[in-house]
Amino acid sequence: AQSVTQLDSHVSVSEGTPVLLRCNYSSSYSPSLFWYVQHPNKGLQLLLKYTSAATLVKGINGFEAEFKKSETSFHLTKPSAHMSDAAEYFCVVSGFYNFNKFYFGSGTKLNVKP
Amino acid sequence: EAGVTQFPSHSVIEKGQTVTLRCDPISGHDNLYWYRRVMGKEIKFLLHFVKESKQDESGMPNNRFLAERTGGTYSTLKVQPAELEDSGVYFCASSQTLGLGQGRQETQYFGPGTRLLVL
């Protein structure tokens, strides 16, 4: 069965410092993986996706994630946090029998301090 | 291009009442999904339409929930009668159907959600 674990429910960083949001997945196949972000009172916005091409995936707003099969991880990083990055981030894995069925992690709330 | 829209943005009802949520997908998207996030839990899949047909409704919690997509455009999700545990945020998403050989790359575009509170 597919599942996603986001290791931190809350992460707090200072503006200008690096961001690391951790995600581990469980899957018996090579999955498609996504990171979505939700700003307050907004819909979920796609940051980036991995679909078995390059293992280092670049997304919007300077975010990137690296697919590591040996570690079953798909951590999200950004070199320098901006105040506008404060939001909730979701790691998502697609299903196997129904790849349209998304499995979400529990979310990580990112706080950016001035 | 307009994104996925949902109506209402908020709804407060009493236990036992009926509520209907509406989702308008991105124009031309055959796939439409409903998800739900109850307080303190992760976002969970409810069901998936391809045009007007239910492709997968494995996540629907019980028969108090009825989803429809007549004509393959907008969709409604009705909860009747509502219970306290139905409170949460209901998200709708839509995606295109990709051609063969393009792999599992269907990006789902989400709406802002409907916040439902059952008292």
Side-chain angles (χ1 to χ4, degrees), chain A residues 29-30 32 34 36 38 41-44 46 49 51 88 90 95-96 98-102 104-107, chain B residues 31 33 35 37 41-43 45 48 56 58-59 91 95 103-112 115:
Chain A
Y29 61 100
S30 184
S32 293
F34 307 78
Y36 281 84
Q38 185 182 24
N41 300 315
K42 300 286 187 181
L44 293 157
L46 178 70
K49 63 182 179 183
T51 54
E88 188 164 20
F90 297 92
F96 177 63
N98 178 4
F99 56 85
N100 292 298
K101 185 174 181 177
F102 279 6
F104 281 77
S106 52
Chain B
N31 297 284
Y33 315 83
Y35 291 84
R37 188 181 196 189
K41 302 284 189 180
E42 67 272 18
I43 299 170
F45 171 89
H48 167 212
D56 182 349
S58 61
F91 293 99
S95 70
R104 301 172 179 176
Q105 299 182 39
E106 293 193 27
T107 296
Q108 295 183 20
Y109 297 88
F110 285 78
R115 284 149 185 80

Side-chain angles (χ1 to χ4, degrees), chain A residues 18-68:
Chain A
V19 176
L20 169 64
L21 305 183
R22 298 182 293 166
C23 172
N24 285 94
Y25 69 91
S26 173
S27 176
S28 56
Y29 61 100
S30 184
S32 293
L33 291 157
F34 307 78
W35 276 98
Y36 281 84
V37 60
Q38 185 182 24
H39 289 92
N41 300 315
K42 300 286 187 181
L44 293 157
Q45 180 185 20
L46 178 70
L47 275 179
L48 49 82
K49 63 182 179 183
Y50 166 77
T51 54
S52 74
T55 56
L56 182 62
V57 182
K58 294 188 183 298
I60 62 171
N61 300 334
F63 284 94
E64 62 182 36
E66 186 171 8
F67 174 73
K68 292 187 177 180

Side-chain angles (χ1 to χ4, degrees), chain A residues 1-16:
Chain A
Q2 296 74 243
S3 68
V4 174
T5 302
Q6 291 184 243
L7 297 158
D8 307 293
S9 59
H10 291 80
V11 170
S12 185
V13 301
S14 297
E15 190 174 21

